Short mmCIF file of all heavy atoms in Angstrom, two decimals:
data_model
loop_
_atom_site.label_atom_id
_atom_site.label_comp_id
_atom_site.label_asym_id
_atom_site.label_seq_id
_atom_site.Cartn_x
_atom_site.Cartn_y
_atom_site.Cartn_z
N VAL D 328 52.12 -0.74 14.26
CA VAL D 328 52.76 -1.32 15.44
C VAL D 328 54.06 -1.95 15.04
O VAL D 328 54.17 -2.59 14.06
CB VAL D 328 51.85 -2.41 16.07
CG1 VAL D 328 52.48 -3.12 17.22
CG2 VAL D 328 50.46 -1.84 16.49
N CYS D 329 55.04 -1.77 15.87
CA CYS D 329 56.31 -2.33 15.64
C CYS D 329 56.32 -3.86 15.91
O CYS D 329 55.84 -4.36 16.86
CB CYS D 329 57.40 -1.72 16.58
SG CYS D 329 58.96 -2.65 16.59
N ALA D 330 56.84 -4.67 14.97
CA ALA D 330 56.76 -6.13 14.96
C ALA D 330 57.72 -6.67 16.07
O ALA D 330 57.42 -7.73 16.62
CB ALA D 330 57.22 -6.73 13.65
N ASP D 331 58.76 -5.93 16.47
CA ASP D 331 59.66 -6.46 17.49
C ASP D 331 59.25 -6.13 18.98
O ASP D 331 59.33 -6.95 19.78
CB ASP D 331 61.05 -5.98 17.20
CG ASP D 331 61.57 -6.65 15.91
OD1 ASP D 331 61.26 -7.85 15.76
OD2 ASP D 331 62.30 -6.00 15.13
N CYS D 332 58.97 -4.84 19.15
CA CYS D 332 58.67 -4.39 20.55
C CYS D 332 57.19 -4.16 20.81
O CYS D 332 56.82 -4.01 22.00
CB CYS D 332 59.55 -3.24 20.94
SG CYS D 332 59.07 -1.70 20.17
N GLY D 333 56.36 -4.16 19.79
CA GLY D 333 54.96 -4.04 19.97
C GLY D 333 54.54 -2.55 20.29
O GLY D 333 53.35 -2.29 20.53
N GLN D 334 55.47 -1.67 20.25
CA GLN D 334 55.09 -0.25 20.53
C GLN D 334 54.59 0.43 19.27
O GLN D 334 54.78 -0.13 18.14
CB GLN D 334 56.31 0.51 20.95
CG GLN D 334 56.99 -0.04 22.18
CD GLN D 334 57.23 0.98 23.27
OE1 GLN D 334 56.37 1.82 23.48
NE2 GLN D 334 58.35 0.84 23.90
N SER D 335 53.88 1.53 19.42
CA SER D 335 53.35 2.23 18.22
C SER D 335 54.41 2.87 17.48
O SER D 335 55.49 3.26 18.00
CB SER D 335 52.24 3.17 18.67
OG SER D 335 52.75 4.01 19.61
N MET D 336 54.14 3.17 16.14
CA MET D 336 55.15 3.87 15.37
C MET D 336 54.77 5.33 15.31
O MET D 336 53.59 5.72 15.39
CB MET D 336 55.05 3.28 13.94
CG MET D 336 55.08 1.81 13.79
SD MET D 336 56.77 1.18 13.80
CE MET D 336 57.41 1.75 12.30
N CYS D 353 59.76 3.38 14.90
CA CYS D 353 59.29 2.72 16.13
C CYS D 353 59.52 3.66 17.32
O CYS D 353 60.60 4.18 17.51
CB CYS D 353 60.06 1.43 16.37
SG CYS D 353 59.75 0.74 18.03
N SER D 354 58.53 3.85 18.14
CA SER D 354 58.66 4.82 19.27
C SER D 354 59.61 4.23 20.35
O SER D 354 60.05 4.94 21.23
CB SER D 354 57.26 5.09 19.90
OG SER D 354 56.67 3.92 20.34
N GLY D 355 59.83 2.92 20.28
CA GLY D 355 60.79 2.33 21.26
C GLY D 355 62.28 2.48 20.81
O GLY D 355 63.16 2.15 21.51
N HIS D 356 62.43 2.93 19.56
CA HIS D 356 63.77 3.09 19.05
C HIS D 356 64.60 4.13 19.77
O HIS D 356 65.68 3.89 20.24
CB HIS D 356 63.70 3.36 17.54
CG HIS D 356 65.00 3.77 16.94
ND1 HIS D 356 66.10 3.01 17.05
CD2 HIS D 356 65.44 4.86 16.21
CE1 HIS D 356 67.12 3.57 16.41
NE2 HIS D 356 66.71 4.69 15.90
N ASN D 361 66.31 0.38 22.93
CA ASN D 361 67.09 -0.51 22.09
C ASN D 361 66.39 -1.18 20.94
O ASN D 361 66.86 -2.25 20.44
CB ASN D 361 67.83 -1.61 23.00
CG ASN D 361 68.72 -0.98 23.97
OD1 ASN D 361 69.25 0.12 23.68
ND2 ASN D 361 68.81 -1.62 25.07
N CYS D 362 65.24 -0.73 20.59
CA CYS D 362 64.50 -1.36 19.46
C CYS D 362 65.14 -0.77 18.15
O CYS D 362 65.63 0.39 18.16
CB CYS D 362 63.01 -1.18 19.50
SG CYS D 362 62.17 -2.23 18.42
N LYS D 363 65.11 -1.54 17.08
CA LYS D 363 65.60 -1.06 15.81
C LYS D 363 64.59 -0.03 15.30
O LYS D 363 63.44 -0.01 15.68
CB LYS D 363 65.76 -2.21 14.87
CG LYS D 363 66.88 -3.09 15.22
CD LYS D 363 66.89 -4.32 14.28
CE LYS D 363 68.12 -5.23 14.73
NZ LYS D 363 67.86 -6.61 14.27
N PRO D 364 65.08 0.84 14.38
CA PRO D 364 64.24 1.88 13.95
C PRO D 364 62.95 1.48 13.15
O PRO D 364 61.90 2.12 13.36
CB PRO D 364 65.10 2.76 12.94
CG PRO D 364 66.24 1.90 12.65
CD PRO D 364 66.46 0.94 13.74
N HIS D 365 62.97 0.43 12.40
CA HIS D 365 61.85 -0.04 11.64
C HIS D 365 61.28 1.07 10.76
O HIS D 365 60.09 1.08 10.51
CB HIS D 365 60.69 -0.54 12.58
CG HIS D 365 61.00 -1.74 13.34
ND1 HIS D 365 61.80 -1.71 14.49
CD2 HIS D 365 60.63 -3.04 13.23
CE1 HIS D 365 61.88 -2.96 15.00
NE2 HIS D 365 61.20 -3.76 14.23
N VAL D 510 54.63 -3.65 11.42
CA VAL D 510 55.79 -3.25 10.64
C VAL D 510 57.02 -3.97 11.00
O VAL D 510 57.43 -3.85 12.15
CB VAL D 510 55.98 -1.69 10.66
CG1 VAL D 510 57.12 -1.25 9.73
CG2 VAL D 510 54.72 -0.97 10.34
ZN1 LIG P 601 60.14 -1.52 18.07
#
Side-chain angles (χ1 to χ4, degrees):
V328 176
C329 167
D331 291 323
C332 69
Q334 303 230 39
S335 55
M336 310 277 292
C353 170
S354 59
H356 170 52
N361 298 328
C362 196
K363 288 175 182 156
H365 294 77
V510 181

